[in-house]
Amino acid sequence: MIRLNENYQNLKDSYLFYNIAQKTKEYLEENPGKKLYRMGIGDVSLPLASAVCTALHTAVDDQSKKESFHGYMPECGAPSLRQTIADYYKKRNVKLSPEEVFVSSGASDELGDILDLFSKESTALIMEPAYPAYVDANIMAGRKIIHLPSGEANGFLPGPSAELDADLIYICSPNNPTGAVFTKEQLKEWVDFANERGAIIIFDAAYEAFIEENLPHSIFEIEGARSCAIEICSLSKTAGFTGTRVGYTVIPKDLERGGQNVNAMWVRNRTTKTNGVSYILQRGGAAVFTPEGQEQIHRNIAIYKNNAKVLMKVLDELGITYFGGKNAPYIWMKCPNGMGSWEFFDLLLREIQVVGTPGEGFGACGEGYFRFSTFGDPEDTKEAARRIKELLSK
Ligand SMILES: *Cc1c(COP(=O)(O)O)cnc(C)c1O
């Protein structure tokens, strides 16, 4: 009998979003017709920019004519799009060659697939609270996970320490779920730590476009990162591509371990295991980086940011401690009066019909915290903020 990957038996049921769905369903069955204010999901709500839609339509038309038809695309991405993305990094004074940029079908795919490059014996350091996929992808691969909890004392931005036995280091900045962003100095500590140990940082930059203060958008803004980091990014949150699927991964040519070159390994991996991202989607993705596309996506981001402002104002007025909101589409608040995450979830749902995400679902140190997403409808966000204020000022 074939043996299956037994590591799957070590996965914990991802009860977080399932539990939320169950609880809201029960509530609606008991209270039919009640309107809910959904501030829980990490999915965008605004449509694609018109520059992207025009490019997608044109690309479909190209595929309909013999003269402009494209068959297989290069596995690592269309050279023009790889160049366009490399140019995008120039804004941050990061010099990349197009061969260091890989066009992908999104960050989640890459976060899972990239693990193919590392030995099963390597350890993965995951800073918590964390995006659940980091943990699960490493459990599936049978890798030992080192959980690094964070909290209010370090602003949910933990630093390295000598006793951490880490080979792969996950950094998500701006962070999901806390919205916290590492400074250059803090990232430099992690880069130095990784270079000293020969570890590799996997930097998830999915929310870089939400940064408005003077904080690093890319790990490659940090000196020394070219010899220890991979950056995984996506147009999902930046440009509303969650259901369209384009992302990119940056692997410097300088990144080597034990005589093996990571960029060359990834080229080999992609050319073996994929046939690239579709021509149509790459054209749509390229439109994001045009001046028109940038202007349009930033108009949408500004709408989400305004949602964050509305919520932050209420939390400030209530004197509630929170993180994020300024440079990220998430607000991570401390539950009032020492309440637990799920207790606060129930209170908001039952009393004011607001649905958020209990922090405990992102790791044990998230207990006592609550995540609001600012990707929702502006009118609903205003009403939810009004209700939160009314409930908590009682
Ligand atoms: C949403 C999100 C992504 C993006 O995933 P895609 O697969 O590109 O849609 C990546 N990382 C984090 C932390 C996210 O929250």
Side-chain angles (χ1 to χ4, degrees):
M1 188 179 73
I2 188 169
R3 273 179 66 196
L4 299 180
N5 181 344
E6 284 153 9
N7 297 319
Y8 278 65
Q9 296 179 15
N10 300 327
L11 292 166
K12 293 207 190 76
D13 285 334
S14 68
Y15 66 93
L16 176 63
F17 291 99
Y18 176 79
N19 262 8
I20 294 173
Q22 279 304 109
K23 280 175 178 277
T24 42
K25 191 171 142 237
E26 272 165 33
Y27 178 80
L28 287 176
E29 279 164 7
E30 289 163 24
N31 302 276
K34 275 270 188 195
K35 178 174 165 65
L36 294 183
Y37 299 87
R38 294 182 190 272
M39 321 265 292
I41 39 161
D43 196 357
V44 295
S45 59
L46 293 168
L48 293 173
S50 67
V52 171
C53 293
T54 304
L56 290 170
H57 282 293
T58 308
V60 171
D61 289 339
D62 287 350
Q63 293 296 69
S64 74
K65 292 183 272 286
K66 193 159 192 283
E67 314 79 71
S68 51
F69 171 78
H70 288 74
Y72 283 128
M73 295 296 287
E75 293 91 341
C76 300
S80 62
L81 182 53
R82 298 176 84 182
Q83 180 69 60
T84 296
I85 297 169
D87 289 344
Y88 176 70
Y89 275 84
K90 282 186 191 156
K91 260 205 310 210
R92 320 263 172 239
N93 285 322
V94 173
K95 282 200 200 79
L96 297 176
S97 80
E99 295 80 39
E100 294 175 324
V101 177
F102 297 82
V103 179
S104 77
S105 302
S108 300
D109 309 51
E110 299 285 284
L111 285 163
D113 292 353
I114 202 95
L115 294 179
D116 224 26
L117 303 184
F118 310 106
S119 147
K120 301 256 180 296
E121 279 73 51
S122 55
T123 59
L125 177 87
I126 297 175
M127 299 172 196
E128 288 183 344
Y131 186 57
Y134 303 156
V135 177
D136 287 351
N138 280 289
I139 291 177
M140 287 175 187
R143 189 166 284 110
K144 184 179 159 203
I145 297 172
I146 298 159
H147 300 271
L148 177 59
S150 65
E152 238 174 286
N154 53 23
F156 290 96
L157 297 166
S161 54
E163 79 280 357
L164 288 172
D165 178 27
D167 299 323
L168 266 181
I169 300 167
Y170 284 82
I171 300 179
C172 178
S173 179
N175 189 271
N176 178 9
T178 69
V181 189
F182 281 97
T183 64
K184 270 198 170 154
E185 294 70 28
Q186 289 168 324
L187 286 181
K188 178 78 171 113
E189 285 187 39
W190 280 110
V191 164
D192 290 345
F193 176 78
N195 277 322
E196 278 159 27
R197 289 187 52 88
I200 288 182
I201 292 171
I202 296 185
F203 190 80
D204 185 338
Y207 297 101
E208 65 83 18
F210 290 80
I211 296 177
E212 59 182 50
E213 290 179 298
N214 184 23
L215 291 161
H217 288 239
S218 163
I219 190 75
F220 300 112
E221 292 176 53
I222 313 303
E223 198 196 327
R226 284 186 60 88
S227 57
C228 70
I230 291 172
E231 182 156 301
I232 293 181
C233 201
S234 164
L235 299 183
S236 282
K237 314 298 164 44
T238 303
F241 270 60
T242 52
T244 304
R245 314 302 308 146
V246 178
Y248 50 93
T249 296
V250 177
I251 308 182
K253 289 188 171 175
D254 315 17
L255 185 56
E256 291 185 339
R257 292 292 180 266
Q260 286 182 279
N261 183 286
V262 181
N263 179 290
M265 285 171 75
W266 193 236
V267 171
R268 191 62 198 253
N269 179 294
R270 295 292 85 181
T271 52
T272 305
K273 296 195 172 185
T274 80
N275 265 320
V277 176
S278 84
Y279 167 74
I280 296 165
L281 293 183
Q282 292 198 66
R283 287 293 300 269
V288 170
F289 298 94
T290 60
E292 195 193 4
Q294 285 291 302
E295 203 260 320
Q296 292 167 355
I297 65 157
H298 280 285
R299 233 184 284 153
N300 284 357
I301 288 173
I303 292 171
Y304 298 139
K305 284 193 163 283
N306 201 55
N307 287 342
K309 281 203 192 95
V310 167
L311 270 168
M312 284 157 70
K313 181 165 177 280
V314 160
L315 297 180
D316 285 336
E317 286 164 1
L318 290 165
I320 289 177
T321 302
Y322 64 90
F323 297 82
K326 191 143 185 63
N327 301 292
Y330 298 112
I331 292 174
W332 178 252
M333 69 169 274
K334 194 169 185 176
C335 301
N337 310 320
M339 281 176 110
S341 296
W342 283 103
E343 196 187 347
F344 190 57
F345 175 91
D346 289 334
L347 177 77
L348 293 188
L349 174 62
R350 306 229 148 235
E351 298 296 324
I352 58 171
Q353 295 76 50
V354 170
V355 182
T357 313
E360 190 259 355
F362 301 100
C365 62
E367 175 57 323
Y369 290 88
F370 203 76
R371 188 191 79 172
F372 285 118
S373 152
T374 64
F375 284 127
D377 176 74
E379 289 312 311
D380 281 4
T381 304
K382 276 187 203 137
E383 178 58 16
R386 192 191 67 74
R387 289 174 175 225
I388 290 167
K389 179 150 186 217
E390 193 177 54
L391 176 74
L392 299 184
S393 44
K394 269 185 204 156

